[in-house]
Amino acid sequence: MPQLNLVDSINLALRQELTRDESVILLGEDVGLNGGVFRLTDGLQKEFGEARVRDTPLSEGGIMGTAVGLAHAGMKAVPEIQFEGFLGPAYDQLVNQAARCRTRNRGGMTCPLTVRVPVGGGIHAPELHSDSPEAVYVHTPGLKVVMASRPKAAKGLLASAIRDPDPVVFFEPKRVYRSFKEDVPDDDYTIEIGQAEVLETGDDLTIITWGASVFRCLEAADALPDHISAEVIDLQSLWPIDVETIVKSVSRTGRAVVVHEAPKTCGLGAEISALIQEHCFLNLEAPVQRVTGFDVTMPYYKLENDYLPDAARIGKALRETAAY
């Protein structure tokens, strides 16, 4: 079983889906000859040809519109948007066309496309290259939204997304691309969309997080005093949310901290806090805390690390919640 990073695991998943299903087609800026801006599609055009791994003009609206058309024509389109900030020009096609397809046609037609999007900060990128807009797309009925933090999960989730009959936004935390390796099975497997994973078990509080923040949370949990143990949940599917796993854990521990990179106000942490209040109110021993980015535009690289939740800021919230 090879040890792969996130880049290599996503490349492997794309290669296996292109091999398994001839209706799968990749498209985007530089995904072919150059292998993608982060080289995630490296070698795929040479192996599968220009008809199935297509370079496109620099037009995100055009990429998404073409992907919607391909999906309506019976293909399984996998468009790549190079950075999350450029989802804006593709918003109309994604939200007003793809997401509404099943409802508009009363179930008679679906729109099977998987939008791959690098997301989040931490790589010292310029403006429009480091945002965390997942809440915008979670708030859009008709879209599924996932964000794998680890290579093994990424491979299985991407396979599930491509085989899904409806549009899926597949966010890729770019800070993790080459920072972490683990064993990834070569064989074909899927991970159910809507299924969280408990990475560490604990009895005193529950941490709920996703994306690159998973690693900061694990670091913070490991630094807790010996008499405090934290359960760490990688949400991985942002919509649908695995409410059962969250409720089961928080009902047992009585305390919860939600951690994400996106701004606090109307972030996904607010929705999860409300879910916990609705389902676990009588079990709560402390208010739910949120450790998030701030309600400002992601700053340039000199202040980037002050914006992103780090292990110290997360650890402070964990100790406060445990002591409440």
Side-chain angles (χ1 to χ4, degrees):
M1 187 182 303
Q3 279 224 328
L4 302 180
N5 59 29
L6 202 65
V7 168
D8 294 332
S9 71
I10 290 172
N11 182 281
L12 178 58
L14 293 172
R15 174 175 284 103
Q16 290 185 340
E17 290 305 301
L18 284 161
T19 303
R20 189 190 63 82
D21 185 349
E22 291 187 352
S23 71
V24 174
I25 181 169
L26 315 187
L27 67 158
E29 298 154 10
D30 298 325
V31 300
L33 186 63
N34 289 334
V37 65
F38 291 103
R39 303 296 180 263
L40 274 89
T41 54
D42 191 33
L44 298 180
Q45 188 182 68
K46 185 176 181 180
E47 185 172 349
F48 295 96
E50 294 184 19
R52 299 188 63 198
V53 183
R54 302 280 298 184
D55 282 321
T56 67
L58 200 160
S59 170
E60 284 76 13
I63 294 168
M64 197 65 70
T66 302
V68 172
L70 286 167
H72 287 172
M75 306 296 286
K76 292 179 180 174
V78 186
E80 177 185 289
I81 301 297
Q82 290 193 340
F83 292 89
E84 67 289 301
F86 305 122
L87 267 176
Y91 184 87
D92 176 57
Q93 297 289 351
L94 178 60
V95 170
N96 293 331
Q97 306 302 327
R100 291 171 179 265
C101 180
R102 179 184 284 276
T103 301
R104 180 175 289 149
N105 292 280
R106 299 182 181 178
M109 179 184 288
T110 62
C111 190
L113 64 85
T114 300
V115 190
R116 290 186 39 252
V117 191
V119 71
I123 65 166
H124 301 332
E127 189 175 16
L128 299 175
H129 293 67
S130 300
D131 297 320
S132 298
E134 59 266 28
V136 174
Y137 299 95
V138 168
H139 191 65
T140 300
L143 292 181
K144 297 182 178 75
V145 183
V146 300
M147 189 186 304
S149 67
R150 288 151 303 113
K152 182 179 178 181
K155 181 170 178 282
L157 275 172
L158 184 53
S160 291
I162 293 173
R163 299 176 196 184
D164 197 284
D166 294 303
V168 179
V169 179
F170 187 88
F171 283 123
E172 301 165 3
K174 59 179 88 81
R175 186 160 41 144
V176 185
Y177 268 157
R178 290 181 170 84
S179 67
F180 175 73
K181 288 185 176 181
E182 67 177 353
D183 291 338
V184 178
D186 276 326
D187 57 341
D188 178 53
Y189 65 92
T190 59
I191 292 177
E192 181 184 354
I193 295 175
Q195 182 70 56
E197 182 173 357
V198 178
L199 299 181
E200 286 192 5
T201 57
D203 298 323
D204 302 305
L205 56 89
T206 301
I207 306 171
I208 302 147
T209 188
W210 55 92
S213 293
V214 164
F215 298 94
R216 305 290 89 73
C217 289
L218 290 171
E219 183 182 351
D222 289 343
L224 287 170
D226 290 340
H227 67 282
I228 303 173
S229 66
E231 186 144 297
V232 181
I233 296 175
D234 181 353
L235 204 57
Q236 61 187 27
S237 179
L238 309 187
W239 189 262
I241 293 178
D242 186 351
V243 177
E244 181 178 352
T245 294
I246 295 172
V247 169
K248 182 179 177 182
S249 176
V250 178
S251 296
R252 184 172 57 81
T253 65
R255 294 174 169 82
V257 177
V258 187
V259 181
H260 61 68
E261 289 187 12
K264 184 176 186 178
T265 301
C266 289
L268 191 54
E271 178 65 26
I272 294 169
S273 299
L275 283 171
I276 292 171
Q277 190 274 338
E278 289 170 1
H279 293 278
C280 310
F281 179 70
L282 296 179
N283 300 99
L284 285 176
E285 302 287 347
V288 179
Q289 280 221 42
R290 289 174 284 166
V291 184
T292 71
F294 300 103
D295 290 342
V296 298
T297 301
M298 172 74 82
Y300 289 132
Y301 66 93
K302 285 187 177 179
L303 295 174
E304 188 179 40
N305 289 336
D306 294 321
Y307 172 93
L308 297 168
D310 60 12
R313 188 146 63 98
I314 297 166
K316 178 174 181 292
L318 299 182
R319 291 189 295 274
E320 289 175 353
T321 301
Y324 186 88

